[in-house]
Each structure stands twice: as C-alpha cells, then as structure tokens.
Amino acid sequence: MTTDDSAPVGLRERRRRETLREVADAALTLFEERGVAATTVDEIAAAAGISPRTFFRYYPTKEHALFHEDEEYRTIRVALLDDVRGGADLAAAIEHAWVRLFDDFDRRPDIRARVLRVRRVIESEPTLLARAVTNDIDNADELIDAAVDAAGADVDVLTIRATVAAMDAIIRVVFGEWVRRSELGDAASAGAIYREVIAGLAPLGAHLSRDAGE
C-alpha cells in the first residue's frame, strides 16, 4: 500500500484539522450530556469557540459532527482506494489496510477511548445510528466503484460486491467484539481479535469451497 505520510502539512490545513476535531469533541460531549435532540448547532459552535456559520463550513448537520474522520484513518482509506484503482488485488488490499488500521488503533489510547464514547452515544440515538449506517454504505460503495473501474472489461461486479461486503462484515465483528471486551474491562487488542476471527473463519472458507465444487 502506497501513501506519503511524510508530506508536510501547512499551517492553514493544520488549523482546519484542529477545528474539525474540536467541533467533533464538543458535539460528542454535549450529546453525552444532553442527547442529540436537546443539543443545538449554536451550543456546539459555542463550546468549540467558533460561530454557527463557521460550523456549517465544516459539517452540514450536528449529527455529522460526531463522525469526525481521524486523519490516520483517512490516510489509510485514501491509500486503499489508490491501491485498488491501481489494480491491486481487492481482498489483499483491504486486509493490508485494516491490519494497518488495527495497529494504529491499538497503540492510540485516545482514539480507543473516543470510539467507546461514540459507540455509546450512537447506540442510544436512532438518528446517529442511521448516520453511521449511511456512512458505512457510502464507504463500501466508494470502494466497490474503485474496484469496478480498475477491473475494466474484466469486471466481475458480483464478486467485487461480495468481497467488500464480507470484509466489512469482518471489521464490524472485530470492532463489536473489541467494544464488548473493553466495556467488560478487558484490555483488548483489535489486531489480536482480528487474527482470532480470521483463524476461526478458515474452516468456513474450506467448507464453502468444497460445497461450491459439488
């Protein structure tokens, strides 16, 4: 997977990223304290030290503000899309990206803590759950489109869609289990859970391959 992590970030871009994070953190805290319905954009903006007008330059709705995309995750995802568009094997490219994501996730306690907080808020707010599902669908569709475009005349859309759906399902299981263990006080490693899931699925793959050949 190719990505230039050493590219310099200008002052304006650095400040933009800081503001995005500050707004997202303010939204998360207020949603935890008051709920989504009782929280206004004006309150989020005030807590982040910006105007409501500036808020809408960054996020279209208050719900969107909760789903701030971490820069490392964004870098990994952009690199994945670039690799797939460049003709890389789809399943291998996705796995490479997610292993890198898990490695980053496991060594960053701030991100792990935020994921738990966001997950709790999402589970208590139907509007946020709907937004989370939409985000997942949009990300999957973007990856599918990249793979279809790269395949050209040899495209097998069904296999591409199945591959993306299967890998997404594995990721959801991994993070769901990580959340479950973490809430029980287990210092869980997302990377270790991922390897555990993959090892457990190996017999399933062999079984499906055998049945498909009959």
Side-chain angles (χ1 to χ4, degrees):
M1 178 171 293
T2 58
T3 180
D4 183 7
D5 294 329
S6 63
V9 177
L11 180 60
R12 179 175 297 180
E13 175 60 17
R14 190 181 304 115
R15 181 53 193 156
R16 185 190 73 84
R17 293 179 183 183
E18 290 173 355
T19 302
L20 281 167
R21 185 172 60 252
E22 289 164 0
V23 173
D25 288 346
L28 173 57
T29 298
L30 288 170
F31 290 165
E32 288 173 323
E33 294 174 351
R34 307 178 187 182
V36 176
T39 300
T40 67
V41 167
D42 285 3
E43 290 169 337
I44 296 172
I50 61 173
S51 68
R53 180 176 180 180
T54 300
F55 173 95
F56 287 113
R57 286 173 48 197
Y58 293 108
Y59 296 107
T61 70
K62 61 183 179 182
E63 289 82 7
H64 280 80
L66 183 69
F67 297 95
H68 169 67
E69 188 174 70
D70 176 69
E71 284 301 319
E72 181 61 23
Y73 173 78
R74 188 189 68 81
T75 297
I76 292 171
R77 180 157 186 81
V78 168
L80 168 60
L81 290 168
D82 287 345
D83 281 355
V84 171
R85 292 183 181 118
D89 178 81
L90 180 59
I94 295 173
E95 180 174 37
H96 187 102
W98 289 168
V99 167
R100 183 182 172 191
L101 175 66
F102 292 140
D103 286 344
D104 176 75
F105 184 80
D106 283 338
R107 64 173 176 261
R108 296 175 64 190
D110 58 322
I111 294 299
R112 296 198 302 275
R114 190 177 197 281
V115 166
L116 285 176
R117 293 173 64 199
V118 169
R119 183 69 173 251
R120 293 172 192 140
V121 172
I122 289 175
E123 289 179 345
S124 67
E125 296 282 356
T127 57
L128 295 178
L129 180 59
R131 181 70 254 163
V133 170
T134 298
N135 287 346
D136 287 345
I137 292 172
D138 289 345
N139 288 338
D141 285 347
E142 186 177 25
L143 187 53
I144 290 169
D145 289 344
V148 168
D149 290 344
D154 298 325
V155 65
D156 180 353
V157 178
L158 179 59
T159 298
I160 289 172
R161 290 175 60 86
T163 299
V164 172
M167 296 300 286
D168 278 354
I170 290 172
I171 297 306
R172 286 195 296 273
V173 168
V174 169
F175 273 112
E177 178 63 10
W178 177 84
V179 169
R180 187 188 73 81
R181 295 184 188 182
S182 295
E183 294 287 20
L184 292 173
D186 180 1
S189 159
I193 294 172
Y194 175 75
R195 291 188 291 273
E196 183 181 339
V197 170
I198 293 301
L201 288 175
L204 175 61
H207 176 77
L208 293 176
S209 297
R210 183 179 66 249
D211 286 352
E214 293 180 353

